[in-house]
Amino acid sequence: MPDRYAVIGHPIAHSKSPLIHGLFAQAAGQDMVYEAIDGGAGADGFARALAAFRAAGGRGLNVTLPFKLAALQAADAASDDARLAGAANALRFDGGRIEARNFDGIGLVRDIEVNLRRPLQGQAVLVLGAGGATRGALLPLARAGAARIVVANRTADKAAALAAELAPHAGACPLNGGGFDALQGAFDVVINATSASLSGAAPPVPASAFAPGALAYDMVYGKGLTPFLRAAQQAGAAQVADGVGMLVEQAAEAFAWWRGVRPDTRAALARLTVPLA
């Protein structure tokens, strides 16, 4: 009988995870099935769905909005990345224990460095937004060797507090936060971790924030050339990308954790990547 895995969220019908993991399983020769589970809008929906999936023999879950915090709280053990991010996006069931990881930031870094061929070593990085997506990205970016990281947010105090909380874990990489109006200097990599692109808006980042030859990266995917990416191009950014590669690479990390083999991501990237125009 194939091993069972799934992604859980609400809503979940739009999820590309079953397609991605199906391609991974085929490429890696793994006997497994992967489904999508809607945890519903109720307060106890995640807990009930988690218990039912485990009882039915499920081996692991990907977790998406709005259940990443609940997934971490349900775990018996969690990685440092998950604890510091305050959220988990992957669970593994080992006997009676639930183990939690957060692969979002690792997926982001791998997409930038491997797929986009943009080494982060020595780069000045600006991350827009101070929510959960930013929280999960900061330390992997620091570990990749960024020269400095700045978090910018509409509410300056929230960005400053997040940077101050994670700075002790960022090693030698300076980590600071503040408002958009206080941004100074230019950045080699500018990452939009806000949800603005979902509503057709753009965060108020000044054109001067983009260094010549900069990479502009929008974590939102499937929206084409978002207002953020368009503004980045107009400001002189040489390279623009959306978050589809981050989605695929974090999925590959979870697959490797579950199955002990890291899948080739090229087929999934080719299937899901659309031209930005």
Side-chain angles (χ1 to χ4, degrees), residues 192 196-198 200-203 216-233 240-242 276-277:
N192 180 23
S197 295
L198 294 174
Y217 191 103
D218 199 328
M219 285 191 183
V220 168
Y221 64 92
K223 298 294 184 181
L225 197 63
T226 62
F228 164 72
L229 294 179
R230 187 174 293 110
Q233 283 186 332
V240 297
D242 70 3
L276 297 178

Side-chain angles (χ1 to χ4, degrees), residues 29-215:
Q30 297 293 299
D31 186 18
M32 56 182 280
V33 293
Y34 190 103
E35 61 190 293
I37 299 173
D38 194 322
D44 62 344
F46 174 78
R48 287 168 46 213
L50 173 62
F53 185 71
R54 292 181 70 197
R59 300 284 301 275
L61 282 173
N62 286 128
V63 184
T64 189
L65 296 175
F67 300 128
K68 292 185 178 184
L69 176 59
L72 180 64
Q73 293 173 338
D76 299 297
S79 66
D80 289 344
D81 275 359
R83 287 189 301 99
L84 292 169
N89 79 334
L91 298 177
R92 183 172 70 180
F93 312 127
D94 184 9
R97 288 168 53 84
I98 300 176
E99 300 176 357
R101 297 277 181 94
N102 189 316
F103 295 118
D104 284 334
I106 299 170
L108 169 67
V109 168
R110 185 171 177 86
D111 187 35
I112 291 173
E113 294 201 314
V114 177
N115 299 327
L116 300 177
R117 297 185 175 90
R118 185 84 182 211
L120 288 162
Q121 182 71 39
Q123 300 282 283
V125 179
L126 172 62
V127 184
L128 310 177
T134 295
R135 176 178 282 272
L138 293 179
L139 296 183
L141 288 167
R143 287 198 297 267
R148 65 185 180 103
I149 301 173
V150 173
V151 180
N153 192 58
R154 290 182 185 273
T155 306
D157 289 349
K158 186 175 181 181
L162 176 58
E165 177 187 347
L166 295 184
H169 306 280
C173 178
L175 178 55
N176 297 286
F180 288 104
D181 57 354
L183 282 173
Q184 295 182 348
F187 296 84
D188 305 299
V189 178
V190 181
I191 300 169
N192 180 23
T194 75
S195 60
S197 295
L198 294 174
S199 58
V205 57
S208 59
F210 297 91
L215 164 66

